[in-house]
Amino acid sequence: MRTACTAVVIALSLLAAGLAGQAGLGRISGVLTGSRGPIPNAEVRIKNTATDQVIVATTSATGEFSVSVPAGSYDVFSSTVGYAVLARRGVNVTAGATVRVDATLANNANAGTPGEIFFLYARADRKPPAGPAPRTRDGKPDLSGVWYPGPDLEPEAPPMLPWAEELFKKRSTRVGDDPRAQCLPSGIVRTHGLDLAKLVQTPTLLIMLVESSVPGVRQVFLDGRPHPPDVQPSWLGHSIGRWEGDTLVIDTIGLNDRVWQDLQGRPQTEKAHIIERYRRPDLGHMEVEITIDDPGAYLRPWKVRRLLDLAPDEEILEYICNENHKTEHFVN
């Protein structure tokens, strides 16, 4: 009898512990729709603002998602091919409650441009190859390959200086003024955002060949040289790299103030210092984290995070951008 009673007590104790654990949980649910109806198979990233822990959900055929989370504050993101980014910040969840995050996503500004975001759609339809990340003869991860672009996974809203905020608001209503729309370079931060890119890695040099981008070629020196003392500002600046374990850290200075950091027109000044971190965790994926430290325009450094997929069947093709000013009526 004592054994039976003991078992009952243990069972009740475990049940009480489980209920106590669940008592601190809430739920975030929602539906994503667009101009063509529900958005299925969209990745939704739910980030705890206190711990930075990210829970990833995927929308159903009807565009629905739902996750159980501890009580707290969350940012909810979705970067879906062909649509504007969802960034709902400061979603407060209390124990036992469900918070709705429903959203109708506008069409991506580039979605109506023939061929402009082909590789984003191609990436969505193809599964990257599996296997371990390749390594070079000296044991370093080999980043070489052709890579599909990827969206910003968790877009930040960095606080800007007043002049930069005013310029940003003005630019966001005139996307035709984007340097990219004028056949000018897109800059570093937007690399891997829209274009197919080929990386060629040697022991002393990493070369990036970017399709649909001007000038299309970027050099990262891996031979231990420092930045020159008199770097003249340019669209891509001067880049040097070093290895921190299996992560390639790229340090860039000497940037000009003509770049738009994104389609909405976040500014860049000549004080910008950009640090990129490239990590290839396996054969088919590349993790990219970009830190923008630009005290000329922003109150603090901010980051862009992307996940690239290998495109083993693709190759860089010739890309010519010329006389784009004659199509201003399409993009203004």
Side-chain angles (χ1 to χ4, degrees):
M1 179 66 68
R2 181 178 299 175
T3 301
C5 291
T6 301
V8 171
V9 170
I10 292 175
L12 290 175
S13 298
L14 291 174
L15 177 61
L19 292 175
Q22 294 179 14
L25 297 178
R27 184 167 288 275
I28 296 177
S29 301
V31 177
L32 299 188
T33 57
S35 60
R36 297 178 293 279
I39 303 176
N41 302 316
E43 181 179 282
V44 181
R45 298 175 66 84
I46 299 167
K47 182 177 181 179
N48 187 303
T49 60
T51 66
D52 287 338
Q53 181 181 7
V54 175
I55 299 173
V56 179
T58 303
T59 59
S60 67
T62 57
E64 299 177 88
F65 70 94
S66 185
V67 295
S68 179
V69 295
S73 177
Y74 293 84
D75 292 340
V76 181
F77 305 104
S78 182
S79 300
T80 306
V81 173
Y83 296 95
V85 172
L86 166 67
R88 192 73 57 82
R89 306 178 193 279
V91 177
N92 292 313
V93 179
T94 57
T98 297
V99 179
R100 299 289 305 181
V101 180
D102 300 319
T104 300
L105 304 184
N107 288 332
N108 184 289
N110 294 72
T113 306
E116 176 69 3
I117 55 174
F118 162 75
F119 290 113
L120 291 182
Y121 289 109
R123 177 184 191 248
D125 294 335
R126 300 173 187 175
K127 187 176 182 180
R135 292 186 176 269
T136 61
R137 291 182 178 180
D138 59 1
K140 298 287 192 301
D142 191 349
L143 309 184
S144 298
V146 179
W147 298 91
Y148 285 124
D152 188 351
L153 297 177
E154 300 162 17
E156 293 189 25
M160 304 181 191
L161 296 175
W163 76 266
E165 183 73 35
E166 183 178 352
L167 179 60
F168 172 68
K169 291 178 180 178
K170 179 180 178 181
R171 286 177 171 176
S172 64
T173 63
R174 292 187 55 83
V175 295
D177 291 342
D178 185 346
R180 182 185 178 96
Q182 310 298 325
C183 296
L184 293 170
S186 300
I188 290 177
V189 176
R190 295 168 74 178
T191 299
H192 305 302
L194 281 175
D195 304 313
L196 197 68
K198 182 173 186 176
L199 273 58
V200 181
Q201 180 178 328
T202 77
T204 59
L205 184 68
L206 177 69
I207 302 172
M208 299 186 186
L209 307 174
V210 185
E211 189 175 300
S212 304
S213 182
V214 180
V217 179
R218 181 184 175 202
Q219 296 186 100
V220 180
F221 299 103
L222 306 178
D223 56 4
R225 74 180 68 184
H227 291 301
D230 55 349
V231 181
Q232 295 299 309
S234 62
W235 291 94
L236 297 178
H238 186 271
S239 299
I240 55 177
R242 68 181 186 279
W243 289 96
E244 292 183 357
D246 285 347
T247 299
L248 179 63
V249 181
I250 302 175
D251 185 296
T252 302
I253 63 170
L255 296 157
N256 68 25
D257 59 1
R258 301 179 64 188
V259 165
W260 285 26
Q261 301 285 32
D262 57 14
L263 181 62
Q264 287 70 44
R266 285 179 181 169
Q268 175 178 284
T269 74
E270 293 183 2
K271 295 181 180 179
H273 181 195
I274 296 179
I275 300 291
E276 302 158 86
R277 303 179 69 86
Y278 284 75
R279 191 177 80 88
R280 188 173 187 176
D282 54 45
L283 176 62
H285 298 95
M286 182 93 77
E287 297 172 354
V288 180
E289 180 184 273
I290 308 169
T291 301
I292 301 95
D293 185 3
D294 187 353
Y298 303 92
L299 296 176
R300 61 168 175 79
W302 54 284
K303 293 183 178 182
V304 170
R305 299 172 180 86
R306 295 193 172 102
L307 179 63
L308 312 182
D309 285 355
L310 186 67
D313 299 324
E314 298 288 352
E315 189 50 89
I316 298 296
L317 300 177
E318 181 181 75
Y319 175 82
I320 305 298
C321 184
N322 191 41
E323 297 184 332
N324 219 32
H325 62 284
K326 294 184 178 181
T327 61
E328 282 185 339
H329 60 286
F330 290 121
V331 294
N332 275 343

